[in-house]
């Protein structure tokens, strides 16, 4: 199948090529040109996430360069079936997407994308994956490419502006992953990465790729866990499942919408935003007015201009139709704190600040008499955010095994000036550098 650009000024490409490209040359985002439709019964033999993912995603890859590799990619990236657990109240569930290597849902998509890139033919020179991160997202990408032959990863992060635990995590992988702590802000890190990615001459010497969240290779696999959860609920109860999705750049929630579009037994989808209100305002009837992000306790959702809105608009050009597809609510920091406390008291679960936004939205829906079965999507393990969560609940949150082993390893980050030449020097390929 081919993918087209949302802006319509770039040629359609085979899906595999669109995954490599990331952003389209006209600045648009790629979308598949058609959507397969399934009935739930088509998945009767598929009980593992990897099986559901393979059946759901195969039509996109059929006849393309990744078709043969797809089963292996699904088996390794979608190896953890996300638990759908009872959430304190009849009809309420928690979909735990945080059991991967870095304890956040981004592990699924980052590992799928890494699997795709590793399955495509390449030349001898290693591909450098350059990521700028404000903490959480870089870790998933770095872990996904760690120890993969033919790749090296450079993570740029703002020195002193990520939590000590996040900094340790970013520097603890080692091997083909290099952490660069930049004397500047997150915006500076992003600007440095963009400058080098736009430098054609440098890219001839040091081939580079990106793994940022707008790649189709990250969007598509996220539909698999919604399909898996909704299908298992459907088989067990005969009922559709509704979802509340913590939302920043809108990738995870869009994947839920796409799973519904492909025929999965999903009913309503509610977006939970933090104090960045651009989506709740749009869905309440105002215009779409992107703006700079503001800092909140749910910092992985501090997005004022969600990049996937462009895909949503391309799928539903009529704003009235678009508004009918989803609902959205904004949860401020005080409500996040209250939801973390209430979720432990009333539901017996400790949730991260992002998940707490979704829990607060579900509490509001139930208080207004909303019926049906609802799943809150848990996007990260609460132990990733101890400085927010622990003072509120008055105890420590124990670390999942993946995080504690990462944190017990030594960590090293290289200091770097906020300067493109310093980054060029850091990225040059030395003959003696460790490869794997
Ligand atoms: C990235 C992230 C989100 C937001 O997901 P989007 O796909 O950007 O909407 C929510 N929670 C956590 C923990 C994240 O890391």
């Amino acid at each position: 199948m081919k993918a087209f650009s949302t802006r319509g000024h770039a040629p359609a490409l085979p899906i595999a090529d669109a995954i490599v490209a990331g952003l389209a040359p006209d600045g648009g985002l790629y979308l598949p040109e058609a959507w397969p439709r399934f009935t739930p019964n088509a998945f009767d033999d598929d009980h593992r996430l990897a099986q559901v993912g393979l059946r759901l995603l195969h039509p996109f890859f059929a006849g393309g360069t990744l078709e043969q590799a797809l089963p292996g990619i699904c088996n390794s990236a979608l190896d953890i079936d996300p638990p759908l657990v009872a959430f304190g109240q009849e009809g309420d569930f928690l979909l735990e997407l945080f059991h991967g290597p870095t304890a956040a849902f981004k592990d699924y998509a980052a590992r799928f994308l890494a699997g795709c890139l590793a399955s495509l033919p390449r030349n001898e020179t290693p591909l450098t994956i350059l990521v700028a991160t404000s903490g959480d997202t870089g870790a998933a990408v770095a872990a996904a490419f760690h120890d993969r032959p033919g790749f090296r990863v450079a993570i740029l992060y703002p020195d002193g502006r990520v939590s000590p635990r996040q900094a340790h995590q970013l520097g603890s992988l080692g091997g083909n992953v290099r952490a660069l702590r930049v004397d500047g802000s997150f915006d500076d890190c992003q600007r440095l990465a963009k400058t080098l990615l736009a430098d054609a001459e440098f890219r001839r010497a040091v081939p580079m790729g990106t793994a940022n969240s707008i790649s189709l290779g990250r969007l598509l696999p996220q539909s698999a866990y919604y399909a898996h959860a909704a299908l298992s609920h459907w088989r067990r109860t005969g009922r559709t499942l509704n979802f509340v999705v913590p939302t920043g750049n809108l990738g995870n929630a869009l994947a839920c919408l796409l799973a519904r579009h492909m025929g999965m037994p999903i009913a309503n989808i509610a977006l939970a935003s933090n104090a960045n209100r651009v989506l709740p305002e749009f869905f309440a009837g105002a215009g779409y007015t992107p703006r700079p992000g503001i800092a909140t306790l749910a910092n992985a959702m501090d997005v004022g201009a969600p990049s996937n809105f462009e895909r949503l608009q391309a799928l539903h050009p009529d704003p009235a139709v678009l508004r009918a597809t989803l609902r959205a609510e904004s949860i401020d920091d005080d409500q996040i704190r209250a939801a973390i406390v209430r979720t432990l008291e009333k539901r017996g679960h400790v949730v991260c600040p992002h998940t707490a936004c979704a829990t607060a939205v579900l509490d509001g829906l139930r208080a207004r008499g909303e019926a049906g079965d609802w799943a809150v999507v848990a996007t990260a393990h609460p132990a990733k955010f101890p400085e927010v969560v622990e003072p509120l609940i008055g105890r420590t949150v124990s670390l999942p095994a993946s995080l504690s082993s990462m944190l017990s390893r030594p960590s090293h980050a290289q200091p770097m000036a906020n300067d493109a030449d310093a980054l060029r020097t850091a990225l040059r390929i030395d003959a003696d550098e460790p490869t794997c």
Side-chain angles (χ1 to χ4, degrees):
M1 192 188 287
K2 286 192 163 177
F4 67 95
S5 163
T6 49
R7 306 224 171 141
H9 301 297
L13 293 180
I15 295 267
D17 297 1
I19 286 175
V20 174
L23 202 66
D26 61 357
L29 280 66
Y30 285 110
L31 272 173
E33 62 185 1
W35 297 96
R37 296 287 191 142
F38 299 90
T39 59
N41 294 342
F43 293 82
D44 279 353
D45 295 329
D46 305 322
H47 292 271
R48 304 298 308 265
L49 175 65
Q51 296 171 315
V52 170
L54 178 59
R55 189 173 305 277
L56 191 73
L57 301 179
H58 183 264
F60 299 111
F61 293 88
T65 46
L66 285 170
E67 181 177 18
Q68 300 302 319
L70 189 64
I73 296 170
C74 288
N75 279 335
S76 60
L78 307 177
D79 57 336
I80 300 165
D81 291 359
L84 181 68
V85 301
F87 196 39
Q89 219 164 286
E90 176 90 47
D92 291 357
F93 300 89
L94 191 67
L95 178 61
E96 296 180 351
L97 300 180
F98 54 64
H99 295 284
T102 73
F105 80 97
K106 290 191 177 78
D107 283 325
Y108 285 111
R111 293 167 75 209
F112 188 90
L113 174 62
C116 290
L117 297 183
S119 303
L120 290 166
R122 270 186 332 269
N123 59 15
E124 299 267 292
T125 324
L127 191 67
T128 301
I129 303 290
L130 184 59
V131 235
T133 185
S134 53
D136 228 30
T137 66
V141 170
F145 285 94
H146 184 224
D147 283 347
R148 276 191 194 267
F151 292 92
R152 65 216 275 269
V153 182
I155 315 169
L156 305 176
Y157 71 86
D159 197 6
R161 302 191 203 191
V162 307
S163 77
R165 193 169 277 184
Q166 282 173 329
H168 190 102
Q169 201 184 8
L170 293 171
S172 70
L173 287 163
N176 64 338
V177 175
R178 198 128 44 112
L180 301 165
R181 50 184 173 90
V182 176
D183 182 15
S185 65
F186 172 59
D187 289 338
D188 292 329
C189 294
Q190 269 197 313
R191 198 168 33 74
L192 289 173
K194 278 192 184 147
T195 305
L196 259 69
L197 287 165
D199 181 343
E201 192 188 331
F202 185 74
R203 287 183 78 157
R204 273 193 289 279
V206 180
M208 285 192 290
T210 64
N212 62 23
S213 66
I214 47 94
S215 168
L216 257 190
R218 283 183 56 176
L219 177 64
L220 294 176
Q222 297 183 143
S223 292
Y225 45 72
Y226 291 106
H228 180 261
L231 287 165
S232 28
H233 187 69
W234 169 266
R235 285 191 201 115
R236 210 171 47 239
T237 65
R239 292 197 295 272
T240 54
L241 192 55
N242 306 275
F243 288 97
V244 195
V245 188
T247 294
N249 251 329
L250 199 46
N252 199 13
L254 178 61
C256 184
L257 187 92
L258 298 177
R260 181 174 73 182
H261 194 59
M262 290 187 271
M264 296 301 100
I266 296 169
N268 295 293
I269 302 166
L271 313 181
S273 296
N274 57 22
N276 291 279
R277 306 185 47 91
V278 59
L279 293 170
E281 286 172 5
F282 171 81
F283 284 97
Y288 177 70
T289 47
R291 63 202 76 160
I294 58 172
T296 75
L297 294 176
N299 64 357
M301 295 160 35
D302 291 346
V303 178
S307 42
N308 279 298
F309 191 75
E310 187 163 332
R311 283 193 170 113
L312 209 52
Q313 274 185 313
L315 291 167
H316 303 289
D318 178 347
V321 175
L322 177 51
R323 287 196 181 95
T325 62
L326 296 169
R327 36 182 134 171
E329 270 184 63
S330 163
I331 301 296
D332 67 22
D333 278 358
D334 286 340
Q335 291 171 296
I336 291 176
R337 288 191 195 90
I340 290 173
V341 173
R342 196 170 61 236
T343 305
L344 180 57
E345 282 172 1
K346 299 251 165 71
R347 301 179 183 271
H349 283 263
V350 179
V351 290
C352 87
H354 311 83
T355 309
C357 293
T359 310
V361 168
L362 179 59
D363 288 344
L365 290 171
R366 291 300 195 200
R368 297 193 295 274
E370 181 78 26
D373 295 345
W374 283 81
V376 160
V377 176
T379 48
H381 193 285
K384 296 194 86 170
F385 307 93
E387 49 299 303
V388 179
V389 174
E390 291 180 353
L392 291 169
I393 62 167
R395 60 163 154 107
T396 56
V397 183
S398 49
L399 286 166
S402 57
L403 286 188
S404 58
S405 76
M406 215 178 258
L407 291 172
S408 67
R409 282 203 290 269
S411 176
H412 175 74
Q414 187 179 325
M416 201 190 89
N418 176 10
D419 174 81
D421 274 333
L423 182 56
R424 286 189 187 91
T425 305
L427 293 188
R428 279 204 207 286
I429 298 174
D430 308 326
D432 61 351
E433 85 171 40
T435 50
C436 64

